[in-house]
Amino acid sequence: MAGVLGITDIWTYVLGTVAIILLPGPNSLFVLSTAAKRGVGAGYRAAGGVFVGDGVLMFLSAAGVASLLKAYPPLFLVIKYAGAAYLGYVGLTMLRGAWRRWRDRNDPTAPRLIDAAEPAAMRSPFRKALVISLLNPKAILFFISFFIQFVDPGYAWPALSFLLLGLIAQVTSALYLTMLIFAGTFLAAQFRRRRRLAAGATTGVGVLFLGFGLKLATASV
């Protein structure tokens, strides 16, 4: 049975997608931390970068890029280490910002939300989230291995099946990221009053990004 537009078991896919999106990762963590530091608008710009990045990865997965990465391991290694290096850079940048906030915790003239020590090139939430999303080869492999389980190989227009699967994933992600953005604005109010809390939270996020980078560096096809 082809199901809905060639999707064999759409409700199983929906439940699986919700469970996967709820797992913590660099994308959702970056959106949360951006909203906490810069507000709702910046949070949604970061979410926009995640949506575009995930959309590109879904398209590449449907086009068979994952198979190409498996067939040419050196290409996978280049993307893997580039992604790991970028996540590590993001983590170190956050740790530097946390140190600056801790150092200036008693200075009323110091910036409270936007870290002045952050390089100008890193201050675009959309661009930063887009790069974090794209430099994740494991996501490409995951999308292709997950999507193909729900597409009927005998369906005449498989592109429609992938489109619907991608739309479900993006809508679910949008709802989850929206929740994180408004949770981040609550945290922002706490950070304005408590410099030490802000420094501690930024340190924790930075360490997690270093962990994501290390995990990606040790990933295999």
Side-chain angles (χ1 to χ4, degrees):
M1 180 176 177
V4 180
L5 293 178
I7 301 174
T8 56
D9 193 341
I10 190 168
W11 291 114
T12 298
Y13 171 78
V14 170
L15 292 175
T17 299
V18 170
I20 291 161
I21 288 176
L22 290 178
L23 292 175
N27 292 346
S28 57
L29 191 60
F30 177 71
V31 171
L32 175 63
S33 62
T34 298
K37 290 192 295 182
R38 307 180 186 182
V40 172
Y44 272 111
R45 288 195 294 275
V50 172
F51 298 149
V52 173
D54 284 351
V56 171
L57 291 180
M58 291 176 192
F59 173 80
L60 293 177
S61 299
V65 170
S67 299
L68 179 64
L69 293 176
K70 291 180 180 180
Y72 299 96
L75 178 60
F76 176 82
L77 290 177
V78 170
I79 299 175
K80 178 178 77 168
Y81 288 125
Y86 188 77
L87 290 178
Y89 173 54
V90 171
L92 290 174
T93 300
M94 290 183 173
L95 290 177
R96 188 176 68 174
W99 165 247
R100 181 183 179 88
R101 290 183 182 189
W102 177 263
R103 185 189 62 191
D104 297 337
R105 63 189 182 280
N106 296 319
D107 181 2
T109 65
R112 292 178 178 270
L113 293 180
I114 298 177
D115 180 12
E118 186 172 310
M122 297 287 288
R123 292 182 186 169
S124 169
F126 177 88
R127 185 189 316 156
K128 194 172 177 181
L130 177 61
V131 175
I132 290 173
S133 297
L134 291 177
L135 290 178
N136 190 352
K138 288 196 72 175
I140 299 176
L141 301 180
F142 168 78
F143 277 128
I144 191 66
S145 64
F146 190 62
F147 279 9
I148 61 176
Q149 297 179 43
F150 299 93
V151 176
D152 180 7
Y155 188 64
W157 299 283
L160 291 178
S161 305
F162 284 109
L163 181 62
L164 180 57
L165 292 174
L167 180 62
I168 292 171
Q170 293 285 48
V171 170
T172 305
S173 178
L175 294 174
Y176 178 56
L177 292 181
T178 293
M179 181 184 70
L180 292 182
I181 287 169
F182 284 96
T185 58
F186 169 78
L187 293 175
Q190 306 304 311
F191 293 163
R192 288 191 187 99
R193 296 192 295 267
R194 300 177 178 88
R195 292 284 185 89
R196 295 180 181 180
L197 176 62
T202 304
T203 298
V205 173
V207 170
L208 285 175
F209 266 90
L210 290 177
F212 289 137
L214 180 62
K215 183 177 180 180
L216 180 55
T218 57
S220 62
V221 177

PDB file of all heavy atoms in Angstrom, residues 26-27 82-92 131-133 135-136 206 208-214 216:
ATOM      1  N   PRO A  26      23.450  20.440  18.082  1.00  0.00           N
ATOM      2  CA  PRO A  26      24.019  21.785  17.933  1.00  0.00           C
ATOM      3  C   PRO A  26      23.057  22.798  17.348  1.00  0.00           C
ATOM      4  O   PRO A  26      23.097  23.972  17.707  1.00  0.00           O
ATOM      5  CB  PRO A  26      25.237  21.554  17.009  1.00  0.00           C
ATOM      6  CG  PRO A  26      24.987  20.238  16.357  1.00  0.00           C
ATOM      7  CD  PRO A  26      24.211  19.427  17.334  1.00  0.00           C
ATOM      8  N   ASN A  27      22.160  22.366  16.447  1.00  0.00           N
ATOM      9  CA  ASN A  27      21.221  23.319  15.848  1.00  0.00           C
ATOM     10  C   ASN A  27      20.276  23.908  16.887  1.00  0.00           C
ATOM     11  O   ASN A  27      20.151  25.133  17.023  1.00  0.00           O
ATOM     12  CB  ASN A  27      20.412  22.631  14.747  1.00  0.00           C
ATOM     13  CG  ASN A  27      21.240  22.264  13.541  1.00  0.00           C
ATOM     14  OD1 ASN A  27      22.360  22.727  13.392  1.00  0.00           O
ATOM     15  ND2 ASN A  27      20.698  21.429  12.683  1.00  0.00           N
ATOM     16  N   ALA A  82      35.941  19.361   8.625  1.00  0.00           N
ATOM     17  CA  ALA A  82      35.563  20.772   8.496  1.00  0.00           C
ATOM     18  C   ALA A  82      34.427  21.095   9.452  1.00  0.00           C
ATOM     19  O   ALA A  82      34.438  22.132  10.133  1.00  0.00           O
ATOM     20  CB  ALA A  82      35.162  21.082   7.055  1.00  0.00           C
ATOM     21  N   GLY A  83      33.431  20.207   9.524  1.00  0.00           N
ATOM     22  CA  GLY A  83      32.322  20.420  10.449  1.00  0.00           C
ATOM     23  C   GLY A  83      32.761  20.378  11.896  1.00  0.00           C
ATOM     24  O   GLY A  83      32.336  21.196  12.710  1.00  0.00           O
ATOM     25  N   ALA A  84      33.637  19.423  12.225  1.00  0.00           N
ATOM     26  CA  ALA A  84      34.128  19.314  13.601  1.00  0.00           C
ATOM     27  C   ALA A  84      34.915  20.561  13.987  1.00  0.00           C
ATOM     28  O   ALA A  84      34.782  21.072  15.110  1.00  0.00           O
ATOM     29  CB  ALA A  84      34.995  18.066  13.745  1.00  0.00           C
ATOM     30  N   ALA A  85      35.747  21.053  13.059  1.00  0.00           N
ATOM     31  CA  ALA A  85      36.546  22.247  13.343  1.00  0.00           C
ATOM     32  C   ALA A  85      35.649  23.459  13.571  1.00  0.00           C
ATOM     33  O   ALA A  85      35.895  24.273  14.473  1.00  0.00           O
ATOM     34  CB  ALA A  85      37.520  22.517  12.196  1.00  0.00           C
ATOM     35  N   TYR A  86      34.581  23.589  12.773  1.00  0.00           N
ATOM     36  CA  TYR A  86      33.694  24.744  12.932  1.00  0.00           C
ATOM     37  C   TYR A  86      32.935  24.678  14.257  1.00  0.00           C
ATOM     38  O   TYR A  86      32.792  25.688  14.949  1.00  0.00           O
ATOM     39  CB  TYR A  86      32.713  24.830  11.767  1.00  0.00           C
ATOM     40  CG  TYR A  86      31.903  26.106  11.785  1.00  0.00           C
ATOM     41  CD1 TYR A  86      32.467  27.311  11.366  1.00  0.00           C
ATOM     42  CD2 TYR A  86      30.598  26.121  12.247  1.00  0.00           C
ATOM     43  CE1 TYR A  86      31.746  28.494  11.402  1.00  0.00           C
ATOM     44  CE2 TYR A  86      29.864  27.296  12.289  1.00  0.00           C
ATOM     45  CZ  TYR A  86      30.444  28.477  11.866  1.00  0.00           C
ATOM     46  OH  TYR A  86      29.721  29.640  11.919  1.00  0.00           O
ATOM     47  N   LEU A  87      32.433  23.494  14.603  1.00  0.00           N
ATOM     48  CA  LEU A  87      31.735  23.359  15.888  1.00  0.00           C
ATOM     49  C   LEU A  87      32.690  23.664  17.046  1.00  0.00           C
ATOM     50  O   LEU A  87      32.298  24.299  18.032  1.00  0.00           O
ATOM     51  CB  LEU A  87      31.168  21.946  16.033  1.00  0.00           C
ATOM     52  CG  LEU A  87      29.991  21.591  15.113  1.00  0.00           C
ATOM     53  CD1 LEU A  87      29.574  20.149  15.322  1.00  0.00           C
ATOM     54  CD2 LEU A  87      28.807  22.520  15.335  1.00  0.00           C
ATOM     55  N   GLY A  88      33.948  23.220  16.926  1.00  0.00           N
ATOM     56  CA  GLY A  88      34.930  23.536  17.956  1.00  0.00           C
ATOM     57  C   GLY A  88      35.194  25.022  18.045  1.00  0.00           C
ATOM     58  O   GLY A  88      35.332  25.583  19.141  1.00  0.00           O
ATOM     59  N   TYR A  89      35.240  25.695  16.884  1.00  0.00           N
ATOM     60  CA  TYR A  89      35.450  27.140  16.851  1.00  0.00           C
ATOM     61  C   TYR A  89      34.292  27.867  17.533  1.00  0.00           C
ATOM     62  O   TYR A  89      34.502  28.812  18.313  1.00  0.00           O
ATOM     63  CB  TYR A  89      35.602  27.591  15.404  1.00  0.00           C
ATOM     64  CG  TYR A  89      35.670  29.080  15.213  1.00  0.00           C
ATOM     65  CD1 TYR A  89      36.589  29.858  15.907  1.00  0.00           C
ATOM     66  CD2 TYR A  89      34.819  29.717  14.309  1.00  0.00           C
ATOM     67  CE1 TYR A  89      36.653  31.226  15.715  1.00  0.00           C
ATOM     68  CE2 TYR A  89      34.879  31.091  14.121  1.00  0.00           C
ATOM     69  CZ  TYR A  89      35.797  31.834  14.825  1.00  0.00           C
ATOM     70  OH  TYR A  89      35.854  33.190  14.647  1.00  0.00           O
ATOM     71  N   VAL A  90      33.060  27.411  17.241  1.00  0.00           N
ATOM     72  CA  VAL A  90      31.885  28.017  17.886  1.00  0.00           C
ATOM     73  C   VAL A  90      31.969  27.824  19.401  1.00  0.00           C
ATOM     74  O   VAL A  90      31.710  28.752  20.178  1.00  0.00           O
ATOM     75  CB  VAL A  90      30.584  27.400  17.333  1.00  0.00           C
ATOM     76  CG1 VAL A  90      29.378  27.870  18.147  1.00  0.00           C
ATOM     77  CG2 VAL A  90      30.398  27.773  15.870  1.00  0.00           C
ATOM     78  N   GLY A  91      32.346  26.622  19.840  1.00  0.00           N
ATOM     79  CA  GLY A  91      32.458  26.366  21.260  1.00  0.00           C
ATOM     80  C   GLY A  91      33.501  27.241  21.930  1.00  0.00           C
ATOM     81  O   GLY A  91      33.260  27.806  23.004  1.00  0.00           O
ATOM     82  N   LEU A  92      34.677  27.382  21.302  1.00  0.00           N
ATOM     83  CA  LEU A  92      35.726  28.223  21.875  1.00  0.00           C
ATOM     84  C   LEU A  92      35.309  29.688  21.914  1.00  0.00           C
ATOM     85  O   LEU A  92      35.645  30.418  22.863  1.00  0.00           O
ATOM     86  CB  LEU A  92      37.015  28.064  21.057  1.00  0.00           C
ATOM     87  CG  LEU A  92      37.714  26.706  21.192  1.00  0.00           C
ATOM     88  CD1 LEU A  92      38.891  26.623  20.225  1.00  0.00           C
ATOM     89  CD2 LEU A  92      38.178  26.465  22.627  1.00  0.00           C
ATOM     90  N   VAL A 131      25.718  27.398   8.560  1.00  0.00           N
ATOM     91  CA  VAL A 131      26.983  26.665   8.474  1.00  0.00           C
ATOM     92  C   VAL A 131      26.984  25.475   9.422  1.00  0.00           C
ATOM     93  O   VAL A 131      27.423  24.368   9.066  1.00  0.00           O
ATOM     94  CB  VAL A 131      28.174  27.599   8.768  1.00  0.00           C
ATOM     95  CG1 VAL A 131      29.475  26.807   8.808  1.00  0.00           C
ATOM     96  CG2 VAL A 131      28.263  28.699   7.715  1.00  0.00           C
ATOM     97  N   ILE A 132      26.474  25.675  10.646  1.00  0.00           N
ATOM     98  CA  ILE A 132      26.401  24.575  11.608  1.00  0.00           C
ATOM     99  C   ILE A 132      25.561  23.427  11.045  1.00  0.00           C
ATOM    100  O   ILE A 132      25.902  22.248  11.204  1.00  0.00           O
ATOM    101  CB  ILE A 132      25.819  25.069  12.945  1.00  0.00           C
ATOM    102  CG1 ILE A 132      26.825  25.981  13.658  1.00  0.00           C
ATOM    103  CG2 ILE A 132      25.457  23.894  13.856  1.00  0.00           C
ATOM    104  CD1 ILE A 132      26.267  26.647  14.899  1.00  0.00           C
ATOM    105  N   SER A 133      24.467  23.770  10.365  1.00  0.00           N
ATOM    106  CA  SER A 133      23.586  22.744   9.808  1.00  0.00           C
ATOM    107  C   SER A 133      24.234  22.016   8.633  1.00  0.00           C
ATOM    108  O   SER A 133      24.146  20.790   8.525  1.00  0.00           O
ATOM    109  CB  SER A 133      22.263  23.373   9.355  1.00  0.00           C
ATOM    110  OG  SER A 133      21.559  23.924  10.440  1.00  0.00           O
ATOM    111  N   LEU A 135      27.494  21.735   7.770  1.00  0.00           N
ATOM    112  CA  LEU A 135      28.723  20.995   8.042  1.00  0.00           C
ATOM    113  C   LEU A 135      28.453  19.843   9.002  1.00  0.00           C
ATOM    114  O   LEU A 135      29.049  19.730  10.061  1.00  0.00           O
ATOM    115  CB  LEU A 135      29.793  21.931   8.606  1.00  0.00           C
ATOM    116  CG  LEU A 135      30.366  22.946   7.612  1.00  0.00           C
ATOM    117  CD1 LEU A 135      31.379  23.846   8.291  1.00  0.00           C
ATOM    118  CD2 LEU A 135      30.997  22.238   6.425  1.00  0.00           C
ATOM    119  N   ASN A 136      27.538  19.005   8.610  1.00  0.00           N
ATOM    120  CA  ASN A 136      27.152  17.883   9.448  1.00  0.00           C
ATOM    121  C   ASN A 136      26.892  16.665   8.568  1.00  0.00           C
ATOM    122  O   ASN A 136      25.752  16.350   8.238  1.00  0.00           O
ATOM    123  CB  ASN A 136      25.906  18.235  10.262  1.00  0.00           C
ATOM    124  CG  ASN A 136      25.613  17.198  11.328  1.00  0.00           C
ATOM    125  OD1 ASN A 136      26.240  16.151  11.385  1.00  0.00           O
ATOM    126  ND2 ASN A 136      24.638  17.486  12.172  1.00  0.00           N
ATOM    127  N   GLY A 206      29.175  26.299  25.450  1.00  0.00           N
ATOM    128  CA  GLY A 206      30.449  26.203  24.744  1.00  0.00           C
ATOM    129  C   GLY A 206      31.068  24.824  24.881  1.00  0.00           C
ATOM    130  O   GLY A 206      31.584  24.262  23.904  1.00  0.00           O
ATOM    131  N   LEU A 208      29.452  22.045  25.414  1.00  0.00           N
ATOM    132  CA  LEU A 208      28.646  21.122  24.623  1.00  0.00           C
ATOM    133  C   LEU A 208      29.024  21.186  23.148  1.00  0.00           C
ATOM    134  O   LEU A 208      29.103  20.154  22.469  1.00  0.00           O
ATOM    135  CB  LEU A 208      27.157  21.441  24.805  1.00  0.00           C
ATOM    136  CG  LEU A 208      26.537  21.001  26.132  1.00  0.00           C
ATOM    137  CD1 LEU A 208      25.091  21.478  26.226  1.00  0.00           C
ATOM    138  CD2 LEU A 208      26.597  19.483  26.282  1.00  0.00           C
ATOM    139  N   PHE A 209      29.275  22.395  22.637  1.00  0.00           N
ATOM    140  CA  PHE A 209      29.677  22.517  21.234  1.00  0.00           C
ATOM    141  C   PHE A 209      31.035  21.855  20.999  1.00  0.00           C
ATOM    142  O   PHE A 209      31.257  21.228  19.956  1.00  0.00           O
ATOM    143  CB  PHE A 209      29.704  23.977  20.804  1.00  0.00           C
ATOM    144  CG  PHE A 209      28.420  24.426  20.172  1.00  0.00           C
ATOM    145  CD1 PHE A 209      27.401  24.964  20.947  1.00  0.00           C
ATOM    146  CD2 PHE A 209      28.219  24.306  18.813  1.00  0.00           C
ATOM    147  CE1 PHE A 209      26.204  25.363  20.373  1.00  0.00           C
ATOM    148  CE2 PHE A 209      27.023  24.696  18.222  1.00  0.00           C
ATOM    149  CZ  PHE A 209      26.022  25.236  19.009  1.00  0.00           C
ATOM    150  N   LEU A 210      31.947  21.993  21.943  1.00  0.00           N
ATOM    151  CA  LEU A 210      33.222  21.277  21.824  1.00  0.00           C
ATOM    152  C   LEU A 210      32.978  19.769  21.797  1.00  0.00           C
ATOM    153  O   LEU A 210      33.638  19.039  21.041  1.00  0.00           O
ATOM    154  CB  LEU A 210      34.144  21.651  22.981  1.00  0.00           C
ATOM    155  CG  LEU A 210      34.705  23.078  22.985  1.00  0.00           C
ATOM    156  CD1 LEU A 210      35.533  23.308  24.241  1.00  0.00           C
ATOM    157  CD2 LEU A 210      35.567  23.326  21.736  1.00  0.00           C
ATOM    158  N   GLY A 211      32.024  19.312  22.611  1.00  0.00           N
ATOM    159  CA  GLY A 211      31.680  17.889  22.609  1.00  0.00           C
ATOM    160  C   GLY A 211      31.082  17.450  21.287  1.00  0.00           C
ATOM    161  O   GLY A 211      31.406  16.371  20.770  1.00  0.00           O
ATOM    162  N   PHE A 212      30.192  18.298  20.716  1.00  0.00           N
ATOM    163  CA  PHE A 212      29.632  17.971  19.404  1.00  0.00           C
ATOM    164  C   PHE A 212      30.733  17.858  18.347  1.00  0.00           C
ATOM    165  O   PHE A 212      30.711  16.966  17.495  1.00  0.00           O
ATOM    166  CB  PHE A 212      28.627  19.039  18.973  1.00  0.00           C
ATOM    167  CG  PHE A 212      27.342  19.037  19.759  1.00  0.00           C
ATOM    168  CD1 PHE A 212      26.769  20.223  20.177  1.00  0.00           C
ATOM    169  CD2 PHE A 212      26.702  17.846  20.075  1.00  0.00           C
ATOM    170  CE1 PHE A 212      25.583  20.232  20.903  1.00  0.00           C
ATOM    171  CE2 PHE A 212      25.515  17.846  20.800  1.00  0.00           C
ATOM    172  CZ  PHE A 212      24.963  19.038  21.210  1.00  0.00           C
ATOM    173  N   GLY A 213      31.684  18.789  18.400  1.00  0.00           N
ATOM    174  CA  GLY A 213      32.788  18.756  17.442  1.00  0.00           C
ATOM    175  C   GLY A 213      33.624  17.497  17.582  1.00  0.00           C
ATOM    176  O   GLY A 213      33.998  16.868  16.593  1.00  0.00           O
ATOM    177  N   LEU A 214      33.908  17.108  18.831  1.00  0.00           N
ATOM    178  CA  LEU A 214      34.681  15.893  19.072  1.00  0.00           C
ATOM    179  C   LEU A 214      33.932  14.658  18.597  1.00  0.00           C
ATOM    180  O   LEU A 214      34.524  13.739  17.991  1.00  0.00           O
ATOM    181  CB  LEU A 214      35.007  15.780  20.569  1.00  0.00           C
ATOM    182  CG  LEU A 214      35.815  14.562  20.999  1.00  0.00           C
ATOM    183  CD1 LEU A 214      37.174  14.573  20.314  1.00  0.00           C
ATOM    184  CD2 LEU A 214      35.974  14.535  22.513  1.00  0.00           C
ATOM    185  N   LEU A 216      31.668  14.511  16.233  1.00  0.00           N
ATOM    186  CA  LEU A 216      31.663  14.505  14.778  1.00  0.00           C
ATOM    187  C   LEU A 216      33.020  14.086  14.215  1.00  0.00           C
ATOM    188  O   LEU A 216      33.105  13.351  13.239  1.00  0.00           O
ATOM    189  CB  LEU A 216      31.291  15.894  14.250  1.00  0.00           C
ATOM    190  CG  LEU A 216      31.228  16.076  12.728  1.00  0.00           C
ATOM    191  CD1 LEU A 216      30.288  15.050  12.108  1.00  0.00           C
ATOM    192  CD2 LEU A 216      30.801  17.487  12.371  1.00  0.00           C
TER     193      LEU A 216
END
